[in-house]
Amino acid sequence: MKNFLRFSLLPAAALLLTACPSEKPAETASQPSATQAPAAPAFNADSAYAYTAKQVAFGPRVPNTPAHVACGNYLVTKLKTFGLSVREQPFEAMTFDGTQIKGRNIIAQYQPTAARRVALFAHWDTRPFADGETDKAKRKLPMDGASDGASAVAVAMEIIRTLSRQPEKMAPNVGVDVILVDAEDWGFDADRIDGQKNLLANNGDGWCLGSRYWAKNMVPPGYKAEYGILLDMVGAKDGRFTREGTSLAKARSVVDKIWNTAAKIGYSDYFLFKDTGAITDDHVYINEAGIPTVDIYDHPPFGGENVYFPAYHHTTADNMSIIDRKTMKAVGQTVMQVLYNE
Ligand SMILES: [Zn+2]
């Protein structure tokens, strides 16, 4: 993913954002409070950590590589062991540099017949090159994508695993779908890719190819969800989650649900009541398809208006050494409680 409003954000709007940060939880009359709703089951961060490590151990999950195929097979098999209905959506797409790739989206459903549904999205591929490195010689190196990719898949998997283990009387009032999208991260970043052209320039920038395909060809067919939550980079030590621009514009009430819930259950150190600019990520295309969707992604809390991503983003530093169970716990437990508030 990348920032996209950096150059188009109006100065007036930028001023407004920085001058009026919302620092307190917004009171929402319509939302049931966490004290009225049943407490969600405990989110097991050790399990989420293990799922992260397992994906990283395959090697970089770059489309068209054996590691990518093997990790995809693992995700499908693992989700089936939870007793869930699992579907695969293969697709082909062209990346910005002209590579024709084979991708696959993976969809697992919990309580598939429930009328009210919430979708959890994460991308499972890794960026093919560490072009976020400041040292230009390192920008073609592969990267592990431990936080950017694996951690979010792991948190979504652990949530749906936990739900699948609940007795019927402890089930939430909504069905939950984990939708793992492929080929999010092979996009054109003009700031970082030296001397390369975006061959898709007339037709996009090559980011989010799996979610774009899914949004146009939904699986299951005719899919509907009340809202979606996209997880991206949710595993790093000292992870911080701000209220992202497109999420606020398209799904403000869901942003409020998530951030207020985090505050109520003690995770306001992670979920900051700070509004930040819009970025290109899978939620953009899912919102366009009519599902109001919020992006929970790691945004550095300080560093100025033009700093949208943490230092490890798209670098070789995004490996298991930065993964922290505490961050995954904060995100996983908050999202679980949001589901139990419904
Ligand atoms: Zn990325």
Side-chain angles (χ1 to χ4, degrees):
M1 59 173 150
K2 71 181 287 284
N3 56 303
F4 79 86
L5 281 191
R6 195 163 130 185
F7 302 109
S8 58
L9 194 67
L10 295 170
L15 263 180
L16 201 74
L17 285 179
T18 47
C20 311
S22 168
E23 282 168 357
K24 286 188 188 140
E27 290 300 326
T28 49
S30 58
Q31 186 198 348
S33 76
T35 51
Q36 293 163 340
F43 175 88
N44 186 331
D46 289 330
S47 178
Y49 185 94
Y51 293 149
T52 308
K54 177 80 185 178
Q55 293 170 77
V56 169
F58 284 103
R61 281 81 63 213
V62 174
N64 293 359
T65 65
H68 178 260
V69 174
C71 185
N73 292 344
Y74 157 74
L75 295 171
V76 169
T77 305
K78 194 73 192 174
L79 288 164
K80 283 182 179 167
T81 68
F82 302 160
L84 303 166
S85 133
V86 182
R87 300 176 197 229
E88 298 176 60
Q89 181 183 45
F91 66 92
E92 292 194 11
M94 171 95 74
T95 64
F96 81 89
D97 54 7
T99 309
Q100 190 72 21
I101 55 161
K102 284 188 195 309
R104 102 173 111 160
N105 298 324
I106 299 165
I107 301 102
Q109 296 199 282
Y110 165 71
Q111 302 195 133
T113 58
R116 296 187 59 211
R117 312 204 64 75
V118 176
L120 306 180
F121 297 91
H123 78 85
W124 69 273
D125 63 303
T126 45
R127 186 154 180 78
F129 27 73
D131 59 323
E133 292 282 352
T134 42
D135 177 354
K136 286 191 180 180
K138 289 183 167 179
R139 289 184 182 172
K140 292 210 163 101
L141 293 175
M143 48 172 279
D144 284 347
S147 185
D148 190 358
S151 71
V153 170
V155 168
M157 282 173 76
E158 178 55 16
I159 289 170
I160 205 164
R161 183 193 75 82
T162 306
L163 296 177
S164 73
R165 294 293 181 269
Q166 298 307 307
E168 206 169 317
K169 64 177 187 335
M170 283 298 294
N173 293 326
V174 287
V176 177
D177 305 301
V178 164
I179 301 177
L180 303 179
V181 293
D182 201 353
E184 186 272 342
D185 230 349
W186 198 327
F188 182 70
D189 187 337
D191 296 343
R192 290 175 168 180
I193 297 174
D194 296 319
Q196 287 206 56
K197 263 201 197 147
N198 175 13
L199 298 177
L200 303 176
N202 293 328
N203 190 26
D205 50 16
W207 300 95
C208 308
L209 297 173
S211 57
R212 286 199 233 187
Y213 187 85
W214 180 84
K216 289 206 172 92
N217 310 273
M218 285 194 188
V219 170
Y223 180 75
K224 287 205 163 43
E226 286 188 14
Y227 59 90
I229 300 174
L230 170 63
L231 305 171
D232 197 357
M233 304 201 296
V234 294
K237 185 174 184 302
D238 299 326
R240 293 293 180 266
F241 309 101
T242 57
R243 295 151 53 105
E244 183 269 348
T246 297
S247 309
L248 286 167
K250 304 281 188 174
R252 180 161 194 125
S253 67
V254 186
V255 172
D256 287 340
K257 275 181 207 253
I258 297 168
W259 265 255
N260 289 345
T261 299
K264 276 178 186 147
I265 66 173
Y267 294 118
S268 52
D269 287 354
Y270 292 87
F271 286 80
L272 307 181
F273 282 88
K274 176 178 171 155
D275 298 353
T276 49
I279 62 162
T280 297
D281 205 348
D282 293 308
H283 68 312
V284 170
Y285 302 95
I286 299 158
N287 273 302
E288 281 177 5
I291 302 173
T293 299
V294 171
D295 191 359
I296 300 178
Y297 91 97
D298 193 352
H299 186 294
F302 311 109
E305 271 177 45
N306 288 341
V307 180
Y308 280 75
F309 298 109
Y312 66 78
H313 180 240
H314 294 176
T315 74
T316 56
D318 186 359
N319 57 48
M320 285 308 291
S321 71
I322 63 163
I323 298 298
D324 187 343
R325 291 168 177 81
K326 281 190 254 168
T327 306
M328 286 195 281
K329 173 75 174 175
V331 175
Q333 196 67 55
T334 296
V335 173
M336 290 248 287
Q337 189 59 53
V338 167
L339 298 173
Y340 273 79
N341 287 353
E342 296 298 342

Short mmCIF file of all heavy atoms in Angstrom, two decimals, residues 33 89 206 212 306:
data_model
loop_
_atom_site.label_atom_id
_atom_site.label_comp_id
_atom_site.label_asym_id
_atom_site.label_seq_id
_atom_site.Cartn_x
_atom_site.Cartn_y
_atom_site.Cartn_z
N SER A 33 -22.78 -0.35 24.46
CA SER A 33 -21.48 -0.22 25.09
C SER A 33 -20.92 -1.61 25.39
O SER A 33 -21.63 -2.59 25.47
CB SER A 33 -21.61 0.56 26.39
OG SER A 33 -22.16 -0.28 27.37
N GLN A 89 -10.49 -18.31 -4.83
CA GLN A 89 -10.81 -17.57 -6.05
C GLN A 89 -9.52 -17.29 -6.81
O GLN A 89 -8.83 -16.31 -6.54
CB GLN A 89 -11.50 -16.24 -5.69
CG GLN A 89 -11.88 -15.44 -6.92
CD GLN A 89 -12.48 -14.10 -6.57
OE1 GLN A 89 -11.98 -13.38 -5.71
NE2 GLN A 89 -13.57 -13.75 -7.23
N GLY A 206 -1.38 -0.72 -10.03
CA GLY A 206 -0.97 -2.10 -9.74
C GLY A 206 -1.07 -2.52 -8.28
O GLY A 206 -0.73 -3.66 -7.95
N ARG A 212 -9.27 -5.82 -5.80
CA ARG A 212 -10.00 -5.25 -6.93
C ARG A 212 -10.75 -6.35 -7.68
O ARG A 212 -11.89 -6.15 -8.09
CB ARG A 212 -9.03 -4.58 -7.91
CG ARG A 212 -8.49 -3.28 -7.40
CD ARG A 212 -7.94 -2.48 -8.56
NE ARG A 212 -6.57 -2.09 -8.28
CZ ARG A 212 -5.88 -1.28 -9.05
NH1 ARG A 212 -6.40 -0.81 -10.17
NH2 ARG A 212 -4.65 -0.95 -8.74
N ASN A 306 3.91 14.09 6.18
CA ASN A 306 4.23 13.24 5.03
C ASN A 306 4.73 11.86 5.42
O ASN A 306 5.15 11.09 4.57
CB ASN A 306 5.28 13.92 4.14
CG ASN A 306 4.66 15.09 3.41
OD1 ASN A 306 3.43 15.17 3.28
ND2 ASN A 306 5.49 16.00 2.94
#
